[in-house]
Amino acid sequence: ARVNDAFTGSQVAALPARGAEAALRIFVDRNAVEVFSDDGTVVMTNLVFPAGGLGGLEFFAEGRVGSIALDSWALASAWSASARGASTP
């Protein structure tokens, strides 16, 4: 299925210089990506519709980048099994 053109494109934001590091919190769901920089100084939210499901994430930066550290956590569903339509034993 074709996605409406209103949902295509990319977003770009400049992060304020705060020393050598930028702290990002990125939340990825089935159809949403939310990025919070420096405790909410810069925030972006996008709806995404990946063909065939999410296969990975890609990060890039312009300019000089020394290193990137990444921690990730798998989150459980906020919905109960019955609310998701799943059968319960």
Side-chain angles (χ1 to χ4, degrees), residues 37-80:
S37 170
D38 295 318
D39 296 321
T41 303
V42 178
V43 177
M44 292 183 179
T45 301
N46 276 306
L47 294 176
V48 295
F49 305 96
L54 181 63
L57 296 175
E58 180 178 80
F59 299 93
F60 69 93
E62 294 180 359
R64 185 176 164 171
V65 177
S67 65
I68 297 174
L70 175 70
D71 294 319
S72 66
W73 297 268
L75 302 177
S77 175
W79 299 97
S80 66

Side-chain angles (χ1 to χ4, degrees), residues 30 76-89:
R30 286 187 182 129
S77 175
W79 299 97
S80 66
S82 60
R84 289 192 314 263
S87 60
T88 54

